Amino acid sequence: MHTTAVLMLAAAADLPTVINNATGWLVGILAALATFFLTLGGLRYMAADGNPSEVERAKSALRSAAIGYGLAILAPVVLTVLKQILGV
């Protein structure tokens, strides 16, 4: 019984499994950061009260959120390409 548990742990540590797990974590972290910047940009925009420099900072945070969501969407694609290059 103990040997079976060791074999299952060893099988879970193969490269495709590690890459798939990394993809999930990466997408989650990027989406969380993008959501943070989206919230920050929205709050700054509401609090800007017409101040041009504050509006520009809010727009910058919203741009960062858009980039973060784009990266979260593209991360699985990039990792799939890497898996094909590595032959995994």
Side-chain angles (χ1 to χ4, degrees):
M1 191 64 115
H2 182 329
T3 307
T4 306
V6 172
L7 289 176
M8 286 192 323
L9 286 176
D14 63 344
L15 190 57
T17 304
V18 171
I19 291 173
N20 288 335
N21 290 342
T23 302
W25 277 97
L26 183 63
V27 169
I29 290 170
L30 287 172
L33 283 172
T35 302
F36 170 75
F37 279 108
L38 182 67
T39 304
L40 182 67
L43 291 174
R44 279 189 171 168
Y45 196 77
M46 288 189 317
D49 199 31
N51 184 347
S53 65
E54 286 299 317
V55 170
E56 199 55 43
R57 287 178 68 185
K59 287 181 182 179
S60 176
L62 293 172
R63 252 183 254 115
S64 297
I67 290 169
Y69 283 124
L71 288 174
I73 291 169
L74 289 177
V77 174
V78 171
L79 289 175
T80 301
V81 169
L82 284 176
K83 283 179 10 181
Q84 289 177 352
I85 290 172
L86 295 174
V88 178

